Amino acid sequence: MIPVYNTAPYLEESLSSIVNQTLRDIEIIIVDDGSSDGSSDIIDKFANDDKRIIFIKQKNYGQSVARNVAIDIAQGDYIYFMDSDDILNLDALFLCLDRCNKNNLDLLFFDGNIIYEEGAKEISWDYNRSNYFNEDELYCGKSLIEKMLETYSFRAVPWLYIVKTDYFRKLNIRFLPNIIHEDELFTFLLFLQSDKIGYLNIKLIFHRIRCNSTMSKVFSLFNVDCYIEVLKEVQKFKKTNLTYSEVIDRYTYYVINTVCQTAKSLNYKDRIKFYLKCRSSNLDKYLHKKNLFKLFI
């Protein structure tokens, strides 16, 4: 499933990597989230040539709503979340499905490469976990997340995994609308509750970093608000799922301190607002004193 919003310059290459997958028996759900740059015309062309494509147009409600719309109508045995400017290895879905079927997996994660658009800001992390995980092992979500947090290898992006539809529907998880960084909540809850997760030690996707992407934009109080909203939902989940308390607290500590370190780029007034937002959400107890000290020097 692919949410689309104004990615016309990249869309043909991205969709070609989907329709030309060696695994032919797939359902391709594309949701145009109110594009105004001609993306819809490109999708129409592909949909007219390929009957596997289900094309939905809607107003600009945001990526979360677009993905949720696709989730609600998906009929396949497994669900994969594609970004509309990325390029998928042509054997990716075949390799993923083959591994999932052999091991009856709830979820399978793999690695990816990065393509930088000219002028795009480089990110400080990558999408390679081969040093930390083994193809021959099966993981449960709780221990897997603990290891990912320990090795700083947790990547919330949904285009790095494929999930079994029945398992996914049982959990009744959806992307939280009206925020960015919604993947942080969705992926964490999805991984956490899984009993059988596999790892495929192959880079199956080329992820594009654009000049105007979320990761390239200047960090602001809106980012802070969205991260805090994510952690409030995580803490809410903890209250009714106490067996996960320890790993949820570790994840909360990890995220809020990462945000705190990034918040040093804000002006002094906004840094104060960040801290007050943490206090009002009862998240200040997770802030490391060293990070808090550096925030105000």
Side-chain angles (χ1 to χ4, degrees), residues 24 30 62 66 81 129 146 165 196 198 208 233 263 285 297:
R24 303 302 298 168
I30 306 174
F81 301 97
R129 277 78 59 86
E146 287 173 342
T165 307
K196 293 186 70 175
R208 195 185 306 270
E233 290 295 319
K285 64 184 179 181
I297 61 171

Side-chain angles (χ1 to χ4, degrees), residues 86-100:
D86 290 348
I87 305 165
L88 195 62
N89 183 304
L90 295 183
D91 291 325
L93 296 183
F94 172 81
L95 293 172
C96 287
L97 184 63
D98 182 63
R99 177 67 190 279
C100 286

Side-chain angles (χ1 to χ4, degrees), residues 145 148-149 152-156 184 187-188 191 251 254:
I145 288 178
M148 285 181 163
L149 294 177
Y152 299 96
S153 62
F154 180 75
R155 303 290 180 258
E184 297 286 343
T187 300
F188 176 72
F191 272 65
Y251 178 70
Y254 171 84

